[in-house]
Every structure is written in C-alpha cells, then in structure tokens.
Coordinates of all heavy atoms in Angstrom, one line a residue:
M30 N 94.5 93.6 67.6 CA 94.0 94.5 68.7 C 94.6 94.0 70.0 O 95.1 94.7 70.8 CB 92.5 94.4 68.8 CG 91.9 95.3 67.7 SD 90.1 95.4 67.9 CE 89.7 96.5 66.6
R31 N 94.7 92.7 70.1 CA 95.3 92.1 71.4 C 96.7 92.5 71.6 O 97.2 92.7 72.7 CB 95.1 90.6 71.4 CG 93.7 90.1 71.6 CD 93.6 88.6 71.6 NE 92.2 88.2 71.8 CZ 91.9 86.9 71.8 NH1 92.8 86.0 71.6 NH2 90.6 86.5 71.9
S32 N 97.4 92.6 70.4 CA 98.9 92.9 70.5 C 99.1 94.3 71.0 O 100.2 94.6 71.4 CB 99.5 92.7 69.1 OG 99.0 93.5 68.2
D33 N 98.1 95.2 70.9 CA 98.4 96.6 71.2 C 98.8 96.7 72.7 O 99.7 97.4 73.0 CB 97.1 97.4 71.0 CG 96.9 97.7 69.5 OD1 97.9 97.4 68.8 OD2 95.9 98.2 69.1
S34 N 98.1 96.0 73.5 CA 98.4 96.1 75.0 C 99.7 95.6 75.3 O 100.5 96.2 76.1 CB 97.3 95.4 75.8 OG 97.3 94.0 75.5
Q35 N 100.1 94.5 74.6 CA 101.4 94.0 74.8 C 102.5 94.9 74.3 O 103.5 95.1 75.0 CB 101.5 92.6 74.1 CG 102.8 91.9 74.5 CD 102.8 90.5 73.9 OE1 102.0 90.2 73.0 NE2 103.8 89.7 74.3
R36 N 102.3 95.5 73.2 CA 103.3 96.4 72.6 C 103.5 97.6 73.5 O 104.6 98.1 73.8 CB 102.9 96.8 71.2 CG 103.9 97.7 70.5 CD 103.3 98.4 69.4 NE 102.6 97.5 68.5 CZ 101.7 97.9 67.5 NH1 101.5 99.2 67.4 NH2 101.1 97.0 66.8
S37 N 102.4 98.2 74.0 CA 102.4 99.4 74.8 C 103.2 99.1 76.1 O 103.8 100.0 76.6 CB 101.0 99.9 75.0 OG 100.3 99.0 75.8
S38 N 103.1 97.9 76.6 CA 103.7 97.6 77.8 C 105.2 97.6 77.7 O 106.0 98.0 78.6 CB 103.3 96.3 78.4 OG 103.7 95.2 77.5
V39 N 105.7 97.2 76.5 CA 107.1 97.2 76.2 C 107.6 98.7 76.0 O 108.6 99.1 76.6 CB 107.4 96.4 74.9 CG1 108.9 96.5 74.6 CG2 107.1 94.9 75.2
L40 N 106.9 99.4 75.2 CA 107.3 100.8 74.9 C 107.1 101.7 76.1 O 107.6 102.8 76.1 CB 106.6 101.3 73.7 CG 106.9 100.6 72.3 CD1 106.1 101.1 71.2 CD2 108.4 100.7 72.0
G41 N 106.3 101.2 77.0 CA 105.9 102.0 78.2 C 107.0 102.0 79.3 O 106.7 102.4 80.4
L42 N 108.1 101.3 79.0 CA 109.1 101.3 80.0 C 109.6 102.7 80.4 O 110.0 103.4 79.5 CB 110.3 100.4 79.5 CG 111.4 100.2 80.6 CD1 110.8 99.4 81.7 CD2 112.5 99.4 79.9
R43 N 109.5 103.0 81.7 CA 109.9 104.3 82.1 C 111.0 104.3 83.1 O 111.1 103.4 83.9 CB 108.6 105.0 82.7 CG 107.5 105.1 81.7 CD 106.2 105.5 82.3 NE 106.3 106.9 82.7 CZ 105.3 107.5 83.5 NH1 104.3 106.8 83.9 NH2 105.4 108.8 83.8
F44 N 111.8 105.3 83.1 CA 112.9 105.4 84.0 C 112.8 106.7 84.8 O 112.4 107.8 84.3 CB 114.3 105.5 83.2 CG 114.6 104.2 82.5 CD1 114.2 104.0 81.2 CD2 115.2 103.2 83.1 CE1 114.4 102.8 80.5 CE2 115.5 102.0 82.5 CZ 115.1 101.8 81.2
F45 N 113.2 106.6 86.1 CA 113.2 107.7 87.0 C 114.5 107.8 87.7 O 115.2 106.8 88.0 CB 112.0 107.6 88.0 CG 110.7 107.5 87.4 CD1 110.2 106.3 86.8 CD2 109.9 108.6 87.3 CE1 108.9 106.3 86.3 CE2 108.6 108.6 86.7 CZ 108.1 107.4 86.2
V46 N 114.9 109.1 88.0 CA 116.1 109.3 88.8 C 115.7 110.1 90.0 O 114.9 111.1 90.0 CB 117.2 109.9 88.0 CG1 116.8 111.3 87.5 CG2 118.5 110.0 88.8
C47 N 116.3 109.8 91.2 CA 116.2 110.6 92.4 C 117.1 111.8 92.3 O 118.3 111.6 92.1 CB 116.5 109.8 93.6 SG 116.5 110.7 95.1
P48 N 116.6 113.0 92.3 CA 117.4 114.2 92.2 C 118.4 114.4 93.4 O 119.3 115.1 93.3 CB 116.4 115.4 92.1 CG 115.2 114.8 92.8 CD 115.2 113.3 92.6
R49 N 118.1 113.7 94.5 CA 118.9 113.9 95.7 C 120.1 113.0 95.7 O 121.2 113.4 95.9 CB 118.0 113.6 96.9 CG 118.8 113.8 98.2 CD 118.0 113.5 99.4 NE 116.9 114.5 99.6 CZ 116.0 114.4 100.6 NH1 116.1 113.4 101.5 NH2 115.1 115.3 100.8
C50 N 119.9 111.7 95.5 CA 121.0 110.7 95.5 C 121.3 110.1 94.2 O 122.2 109.3 94.1 CB 120.7 109.6 96.6 SG 119.4 108.5 96.1
E51 N 120.6 110.5 93.1 CA 120.9 110.1 91.7 C 120.7 108.6 91.5 O 121.3 108.0 90.6 CB 122.3 110.6 91.3 CG 122.4 112.1 91.3 CD 123.8 112.5 90.8 OE1 124.7 111.6 90.9 OE2 123.9 113.6 90.4
T52 N 119.9 108.0 92.3 CA 119.6 106.6 92.1 C 118.6 106.5 91.0 O 117.6 107.2 91.0 CB 119.0 105.9 93.4 OG1 120.0 106.0 94.4 CG2 118.7 104.4 93.2
V53 N 118.8 105.6 90.0 CA 117.9 105.4 88.9 C 117.0 104.2 89.1 O 117.5 103.2 89.5 CB 118.8 105.3 87.6 CG1 117.8 105.0 86.4 CG2 119.6 106.5 87.3
Y54 N 115.8 104.4 88.8 CA 114.8 103.4 88.9 C 114.1 103.1 87.6 O 113.9 104.1 86.8 CB 113.7 103.7 89.9 CG 114.3 103.9 91.3 CD1 114.6 105.1 91.8 CD2 114.4 102.8 92.2 CE1 115.1 105.3 93.1 CE2 114.9 102.9 93.4 CZ 115.3 104.2 93.9 OH 115.7 104.3 95.1
A55 N 113.7 101.9 87.3 CA 112.9 101.5 86.1 C 111.6 101.0 86.7 O 111.5 100.0 87.4 CB 113.6 100.5 85.3
L56 N 110.5 101.7 86.3 CA 109.2 101.3 86.7 C 109.1 101.1 88.3 O 108.9 100.0 88.8 CB 108.7 100.0 86.1 CG 108.5 100.1 84.6 CD1 108.1 98.7 84.0 CD2 107.3 101.1 84.3
P57 N 109.4 102.2 89.0 CA 109.3 102.1 90.4 C 107.9 101.8 90.9 O 106.9 102.3 90.4 CB 109.7 103.5 90.9 CG 109.3 104.4 89.8 CD 109.5 103.6 88.5
E58 N 107.8 100.9 91.9 CA 106.5 100.5 92.4 C 106.0 101.6 93.2 O 104.8 101.8 93.3 CB 106.7 99.2 93.3 CG 107.1 98.0 92.5 CD 107.2 96.8 93.4 OE1 107.0 96.9 94.6 OE2 107.6 95.7 92.9
E59 N 106.8 102.4 93.9 CA 106.4 103.5 94.6 C 107.1 104.8 94.1 O 108.3 104.7 93.8 CB 106.7 103.4 96.1 CG 106.0 102.2 96.7 CD 106.2 102.2 98.2 OE1 106.6 103.2 98.8 OE2 106.2 101.1 98.8
E60 N 106.4 105.9 94.0 CA 107.0 107.1 93.5 C 107.8 107.8 94.6 O 107.6 108.9 94.9 CB 106.0 108.0 92.9 CG 105.4 107.4 91.6 CD 104.4 108.4 90.9 OE1 104.3 109.5 91.4 OE2 103.8 108.0 90.0
R61 N 108.7 107.0 95.2 CA 109.6 107.6 96.1 C 110.9 106.9 96.1 O 110.9 105.7 95.7 CB 109.0 107.6 97.5 CG 109.1 106.2 98.2 CD 108.6 106.2 99.6 NE 107.2 106.5 99.7 CZ 106.6 106.5 100.9 NH1 107.2 106.2 102.0 NH2 105.3 106.8 100.9
C62 N 112.0 107.5 96.5 CA 113.3 106.9 96.5 C 113.4 105.9 97.7 O 113.1 106.3 98.8 CB 114.4 108.0 96.6 SG 116.0 107.3 96.5
Q63 N 113.7 104.7 97.3 CA 113.9 103.7 98.4 C 115.2 103.8 99.1 O 115.5 103.0 100.0 CB 113.7 102.3 97.7 CG 112.3 102.1 97.1 CD 112.2 100.8 96.4 OE1 113.0 99.9 96.6 NE2 111.2 100.7 95.5
R64 N 116.1 104.7 98.6 CA 117.4 104.8 99.2 C 117.5 105.9 100.2 O 117.9 105.7 101.3 CB 118.4 105.0 98.0 CG 119.8 105.0 98.5 CD 120.8 105.2 97.3 NE 122.2 105.1 97.7 CZ 123.2 105.3 96.9 NH1 123.0 105.5 95.6 NH2 124.4 105.2 97.3
C65 N 117.0 107.1 99.8 CA 117.1 108.3 100.7 C 115.7 108.7 101.1 O 115.6 109.6 102.0 CB 117.8 109.4 100.0 SG 117.0 110.2 98.7
G66 N 114.6 108.2 100.5 CA 113.3 108.5 100.9 C 112.7 109.7 100.3 O 111.6 110.2 100.7
D67 N 113.4 110.3 99.3 CA 112.9 111.5 98.6 C 111.5 111.1 97.9 O 111.4 110.1 97.3 CB 113.9 112.0 97.6 CG 113.6 113.4 97.2 OD1 112.4 113.7 96.9 OD2 114.5 114.2 97.2
V68 N 110.5 112.0 98.1 CA 109.2 111.6 97.6 C 109.1 112.1 96.1 O 108.0 111.8 95.5 CB 108.1 112.3 98.4 CG1 108.1 111.7 99.8 CG2 108.3 113.8 98.4
H69 N 110.1 112.7 95.5 CA 110.0 113.1 94.2 C 111.0 112.5 93.3 O 112.2 112.6 93.6 CB 110.1 114.7 94.1 CG 110.0 115.2 92.7 ND1 108.9 115.2 91.9 CD2 111.0 115.6 91.8 CE1 109.1 115.7 90.7 NE2 110.4 115.9 90.6
L70 N 110.6 111.8 92.2 CA 111.5 111.2 91.3 C 111.3 111.9 89.9 O 110.2 112.1 89.5 CB 111.3 109.7 91.1 CG 111.5 108.9 92.4 CD1 111.2 107.4 92.1 CD2 112.9 109.1 93.0
D71 N 112.4 112.3 89.3 CA 112.3 112.9 88.0 C 112.4 111.8 86.9 O 113.2 111.0 86.9 CB 113.5 113.9 87.8 CG 113.4 115.1 88.6 OD1 112.3 115.5 88.9 OD2 114.5 115.6 89.0
E72 N 111.4 111.9 86.0 CA 111.4 111.0 84.9 C 112.5 111.3 83.9 O 112.6 112.5 83.4 CB 110.0 111.0 84.2 CG 109.9 109.9 83.1 CD 108.5 109.7 82.6 OE1 107.6 110.4 83.1 OE2 108.3 108.8 81.8
I73 N 113.3 110.3 83.5 CA 114.4 110.5 82.6 C 114.3 109.6 81.4 O 115.2 109.2 80.8 CB 115.7 110.4 83.3 CG1 115.8 109.0 83.9 CG2 116.0 111.5 84.3 CD1 117.3 108.6 84.3
T74 N 113.0 109.1 81.1 CA 112.8 108.1 80.1 C 113.4 108.6 78.8 O 114.1 107.8 78.1 CB 111.3 107.8 79.9 OG1 110.8 107.5 81.2 CG2 111.1 106.7 78.9
R75 N 113.1 109.8 78.4 CA 113.7 110.3 77.1 C 115.2 110.4 77.1 O 115.9 110.1 76.2 CB 113.1 111.7 76.8 CG 111.7 111.7 76.4 CD 111.3 113.1 75.9 NE 109.9 113.0 75.4 CZ 109.4 114.1 74.7 NH1 110.1 115.2 74.6 NH2 108.2 114.0 74.3
T76 N 115.7 110.8 78.3 CA 117.2 110.9 78.4 C 117.8 109.5 78.2 O 118.9 109.4 77.6 CB 117.6 111.4 79.7 OG1 116.9 112.7 79.9 CG2 119.1 111.6 79.9
M77 N 117.2 108.5 78.8 CA 117.7 107.1 78.7 C 117.8 106.6 77.3 O 118.7 105.8 76.9 CB 116.9 106.2 79.5 CG 116.9 106.4 81.0 SD 118.5 106.2 81.7 CE 118.7 104.4 81.6
W78 N 117.0 107.1 76.4 CA 117.0 106.7 75.0 C 117.9 107.6 74.2 O 118.0 107.3 73.0 CB 115.6 106.6 74.4 CG 114.6 105.7 75.2 CD1 113.4 106.1 75.6 CD2 114.8 104.4 75.6 NE1 112.8 105.0 76.3 CE2 113.7 104.0 76.3 CE3 115.9 103.5 75.5 CZ2 113.6 102.7 76.8 CZ3 115.8 102.2 76.0 CH2 114.7 101.8 76.7
D79 N 118.4 108.6 74.7 CA 119.2 109.5 74.0 C 120.7 109.1 74.1 O 121.3 109.1 75.1 CB 119.1 110.9 74.6 CG 119.8 112.0 73.7 OD1 120.6 111.6 72.8 OD2 119.6 113.2 74.0
D80 N 121.3 108.7 72.9 CA 122.6 108.2 72.9 C 123.6 109.2 73.5 O 124.6 108.8 74.1 CB 123.0 107.8 71.5 CG 122.3 106.6 71.0 OD1 121.8 105.8 71.8 OD2 122.2 106.4 69.8
S81 N 123.4 110.4 73.2 CA 124.4 111.5 73.6 C 124.6 111.6 75.1 O 125.6 111.9 75.6 CB 124.0 112.8 73.0 OG 122.8 113.2 73.6
S82 N 123.5 111.2 75.8 CA 123.6 111.4 77.3 C 123.6 110.0 78.0 O 123.5 109.9 79.2 CB 122.4 112.2 77.8 OG 121.2 111.7 77.3
F83 N 123.6 109.0 77.2 CA 123.6 107.6 77.7 C 124.8 107.2 78.5 O 124.8 106.6 79.5 CB 123.3 106.6 76.6 CG 122.8 105.3 77.2 CD1 121.5 105.1 77.4 CD2 123.7 104.3 77.4 CE1 121.0 103.8 77.9 CE2 123.3 103.1 77.9 CZ 122.0 102.8 78.2
F84 N 126.0 107.6 77.9 CA 127.2 107.2 78.4 C 127.7 108.2 79.6 O 128.3 107.7 80.5 CB 128.3 107.2 77.3 CG 128.0 106.2 76.3 CD1 127.4 106.6 75.1 CD2 128.2 104.8 76.5 CE1 127.1 105.6 74.1 CE2 127.8 103.9 75.5 CZ 127.3 104.3 74.3
S85 N 127.5 109.4 79.4 CA 128.0 110.4 80.3 C 126.9 111.4 80.7 O 126.7 112.4 80.2 CB 129.2 111.2 79.8 OG 129.7 112.1 80.7
P86 N 126.1 110.9 81.7 CA 124.9 111.7 82.1 C 125.2 113.1 82.6 O 124.5 114.0 82.3 CB 124.2 110.9 83.2 CG 124.9 109.6 83.2 CD 126.2 109.7 82.4
D87 N 126.3 113.2 83.2 CA 126.6 114.5 83.9 C 128.0 114.9 83.7 O 128.5 115.9 84.1 CB 126.3 114.3 85.4 CG 126.0 115.7 86.0 OD1 125.9 116.7 85.3 OD2 126.0 115.8 87.2
G88 N 128.8 114.1 82.9 CA 130.2 114.4 82.7 C 131.0 114.4 83.9 O 132.2 114.8 84.0
N89 N 130.4 113.8 85.0 CA 131.1 113.7 86.3 C 131.0 112.2 86.8 O 130.0 111.8 87.3 CB 130.5 114.6 87.2 CG 131.3 114.6 88.6 OD1 132.4 114.1 88.6 ND2 130.7 115.2 89.6
D90 N 132.1 111.5 86.5 CA 132.1 110.1 86.8 C 133.1 109.7 87.9 O 134.2 109.8 87.7 CB 132.4 109.3 85.5 CG 132.0 107.8 85.7 OD1 131.6 107.4 86.8 OD2 132.2 107.0 84.8
D91 N 132.5 109.4 89.1 CA 133.4 109.0 90.2 C 134.6 109.9 90.4 O 135.7 109.5 90.3 CB 133.8 107.5 90.1 CG 132.7 106.6 90.2 OD1 131.8 106.9 91.0 OD2 132.7 105.5 89.6
Ligands
ZN129 ZN1 117.2 109.2 96.7

C-alpha cells in the first residue's frame, strides 16, 4: 500500500506547453508561463509519451 503513493508520483509526471511561446514545462509550480506570462498552459503529457510526435512536434524545426 505504501508503494502506491510512490508509484503514482512517478507516473504522475505531467508536461505542459505554452501555446504562445511554445516553452515546455514539466510539473510547473505555477500554471502560468514564466517566459511570456501566459496564464494558460496546454497539457501535452500524452503527446510526450507518443513516439510519433516526440521527435518532430510540429514538423517545423528552426
Ligand atoms: Zn509562454
């Protein structure tokens, strides 16, 4: 039973991206972008675990 909380903390890793400046955060302390100040971050946790979109998120690299 004790291991449940520890396990969930590992699997509970969440990723967010700022739709405005595309900065990616892992477990942001504040739900706002620390770069541009946007108050809304989109959760991309599922996307981060998807191999197909892991390498080329937008097909537009620099
Ligand atoms: Zn931002």
Side-chain angles (χ1 to χ4, degrees):
M30 285 185 176
R31 288 181 182 178
S32 62
D33 283 349
S34 62
Q35 187 173 12
R36 185 197 308 166
S37 63
S38 66
V39 175
L40 295 179
L42 186 61
R43 300 169 71 187
F44 295 92
F45 297 83
V46 63
C47 174
R49 181 183 293 180
C50 68
E51 297 184 338
T52 302
V53 177
Y54 297 93
L56 292 175
E58 295 182 0
E59 298 184 25
E60 292 186 3
R61 77 174 65 175
C62 181
Q63 299 175 17
R64 186 176 182 182
C65 72
D67 198 312
V68 296
H69 177 76
L70 299 179
D71 290 328
E72 184 169 0
I73 58 169
T74 306
R75 286 191 174 187
T76 304
M77 293 295 290
W78 302 131
D79 186 351
D80 289 338
S81 64
S82 56
F83 195 87
F84 297 102
S85 182
D87 205 7
N89 185 14
D90 194 358
D91 291 326

